[in-house]
Amino acid sequence: MIITKSPAELEFMREAGRVTAAALVAVAAAVRPGVTTGELDELAERVIREAGAVPAFKGYHGFPGTLCTSIDEQVVHGIPGERVLREGEILSVDCGAIVEGYYGDSAMTFPVGKVSGQARRLLAVTRASLEAGIARCVPGMRLHDISAAIQAVAESAGFSVVREYVGHGIGRSMHEDPQVPNYGQAGTGPTLKPGMVLAIEPMINAGAADVRPLDDGWTVVTADGALSAHFEHTVAVTEAGPLILTLE
Ligand code: MG
Ligand code: MG
């Protein structure tokens, strides 16, 4: 069942989104060769707690971090720690915060110093695919209009869409109905209504779509070792159009 949110609930979700965005902005400014993913994690946790909010991922099914930090061929759910970032890598940072019981969820992928042309293009295309999906968050559109828009942008650029992990409804839980795949048939799926809130999160691979989990129980990598990027926003469907909640 898709739970629609009242205007008052959307206000709380906007605040959760604002805090999530503030943490990501702080991390963005700190990403550089030589910094560890653990240091970025501490920074994000500080920003979230100083805002009076709670890190959403910490303790979620036992996850140890405030951030998921996923480098290069790592797709999602990388664990922050002692790993030192190196020039030329790309770093996906996924972050969530809770305000008054409501969740915000957002991710960005950053270049570490100077990166390859392929990496730059992957980041630009993945971000563009998210924007194309967000543009479909309009009452009367169908859920898989979002999915198809993301897929079209990614695949027309020669990249592939991860199937095993998808976006999701979000509210008083981090993961609610519906699932929001990053591939699918336009004109199908539930009709979008005002008050629906979706975490839209394309995970796009430079090589093939296949992924596999690592032995740490969390980190997901591309099967062929090619780069992967991830961008995410929490977006409300409103009469006025898409409202991105995870902005500062
Ligand atoms: Mg996320
Ligand atoms: Mg998410």
Side-chain angles (χ1 to χ4, degrees):
M1 186 191 66
I2 302 176
I3 304 167
T4 57
K5 280 75 183 177
S6 69
E9 290 181 294
L10 287 183
E11 281 301 311
F12 288 129
M13 295 198 72
R14 178 71 183 98
E15 196 50 39
R18 212 188 303 274
V19 174
T20 303
L24 280 173
V25 165
V27 168
V31 169
R32 62 180 174 275
V35 75
T36 68
T37 53
E39 287 166 341
L40 299 176
D41 191 68
E42 285 171 21
L43 172 61
E45 179 167 4
R46 197 159 61 239
V47 170
I48 290 170
R49 295 208 189 273
E50 281 175 1
V54 177
F57 299 173
K58 201 158 194 164
Y60 186 84
H61 295 289
F63 188 78
T66 291
L67 303 176
C68 297
T69 52
S70 308
I71 300 166
D72 283 353
E73 80 285 0
Q74 297 176 354
V75 180
V76 285
H77 303 163
I79 301 170
E82 297 304 304
R83 174 67 154 79
V84 177
L85 296 180
R86 294 188 286 256
E87 178 91 19
E89 292 175 332
I90 59 173
L91 172 70
S92 150
V93 179
D94 198 344
C95 185
I98 310 168
V99 171
E100 300 289 342
Y102 290 89
Y103 284 73
D105 187 7
S106 184
M108 298 185 72
T109 304
F110 304 110
V112 181
K114 188 168 164 47
V115 301
S116 70
Q118 184 199 45
R120 277 202 304 278
R121 205 166 72 81
L122 179 66
L123 299 192
V125 167
T126 306
R127 185 191 285 269
S129 75
L130 172 59
E131 286 165 1
I134 290 171
R136 270 68 178 182
C137 286
V138 172
M141 299 285 281
R142 306 285 287 271
L143 182 70
H144 299 151
D145 291 336
I146 298 170
S147 311
I150 290 168
Q151 182 177 20
V153 170
E155 291 184 351
S156 66
F159 298 136
S160 52
V161 174
V162 172
R163 284 353 195 226
E164 285 84 348
Y165 301 87
V166 297
H168 49 93
I170 180 168
R172 294 189 71 88
S173 304
M174 187 148 65
H175 297 110
E176 294 182 352
D177 286 341
Q179 292 199 344
V180 186
N182 298 303
Y183 59 94
Q185 194 67 45
T188 69
T191 300
L192 301 182
K193 295 189 172 64
M196 289 182 177
V197 184
L198 304 173
I200 303 174
E201 51 178 315
M203 287 148 266
I204 306 299
N205 296 348
D210 310 85
V211 299
R212 64 181 175 86
L214 294 185
D215 289 340
D216 66 14
W218 284 105
T219 312
V220 176
V221 298
T222 56
D224 61 10
L227 295 178
S228 185
H230 180 208
F231 284 84
E232 175 180 28
H233 272 307
T234 299
V235 184
V237 179
T238 79
E239 296 285 7
L243 177 64
I244 301 175
L245 301 177
T246 37
L247 292 173
E248 264 198 307

